[in-house]
Amino acid sequence: MGFNNFLLAVCFVGLTTHVSLAQNSHKDFLAAHNAARAKVGVGPFTWNHTLQVYARNYARQRIEDCNMEHSMGPYGENLAEGYETLTAVDSVTMWVGEKPNYDYNSNKCVGGECLHYTQVVWRDSVHLGCARAKCKNGWIFVICNYSPPGNYEGQRPY
């Protein structure tokens, strides 16, 4: 392999590493959430540092056990857990994947869970902060917090 090919290979490896890390930035969380919100005519979230710190602190508490337990804090919250390759977008995709279980006309979940989805698209929630943590068992724990919180019984998300 010539020097130019070697340099190209090193640059490619560096680029793929960067892309992989970038798949978990706050911009990735925002873009995935805001794409789902736009589909139902809800305005975009803005990233909130206070929510990010709250999410990061709670994610760090879950490193030992990776249990899917809510923080019981003052914010709306979605949790996800998966293998080491679970990205920000994967997490939001799981939550938004519950959309078919939400019936707008009855404003109820039908056929399965939908409350993660409705929190993502809750029109009154305007601030977002998320974090990921690698647990000791090798899994990834993801948490997103929303302010103001959503999913109030009897109210429609949009």
Side-chain angles (χ1 to χ4, degrees):
M1 171 187 291
F3 179 74
N4 287 342
N5 288 340
F6 174 75
L7 185 58
L8 182 59
V10 169
C11 289
F12 179 73
V13 169
L15 179 63
T16 57
T17 301
H18 174 72
V19 170
S20 174
L21 293 174
Q23 292 175 354
N24 298 305
S25 73
H26 76 277
K27 291 178 183 179
D28 297 305
F29 278 112
L30 270 174
H33 276 84
N34 288 337
R37 292 168 69 83
K39 287 182 180 177
V40 294
V42 176
F45 279 121
T46 56
W47 191 255
N48 183 284
H49 181 71
T50 300
L51 292 175
Q52 177 188 10
V53 169
Y54 181 87
R56 184 177 52 220
N57 288 341
Y58 188 69
R60 287 179 179 161
Q61 290 177 33
R62 298 273 54 103
I63 288 174
E64 291 294 322
D65 58 23
C66 219
N67 287 344
M68 294 285 287
E69 297 174 5
H70 284 282
S71 70
M72 307 309 285
Y75 307 113
E77 187 168 89
N78 279 339
L79 304 177
E81 180 179 64
Y83 293 109
E84 192 170 317
T85 58
L86 182 72
T87 66
V89 173
D90 294 336
S91 301
V92 179
T93 299
M94 283 193 293
W95 301 326
V96 173
E98 296 176 356
K99 182 178 183 178
N101 299 333
Y102 176 67
D103 178 60
Y104 184 82
N105 293 326
S106 67
N107 192 34
K108 295 190 185 301
C109 296
V110 293
E113 177 66 50
C114 75
L115 296 178
H116 300 100
Y117 166 70
T118 55
Q119 177 59 81
V120 168
V121 297
W122 198 264
R123 74 176 165 267
D124 293 333
S125 296
V126 295
H127 301 287
L128 174 69
C130 304
R132 289 172 75 251
K134 184 174 182 177
C135 300
K136 288 192 173 183
N137 66 4
W139 286 61
I140 299 294
F141 181 88
V142 178
I143 177 174
C144 285
N145 290 106
Y146 307 86
S147 181
N151 285 335
Y152 290 106
E153 193 169 332
Q155 295 183 23
R156 294 186 188 278
Y158 50 89

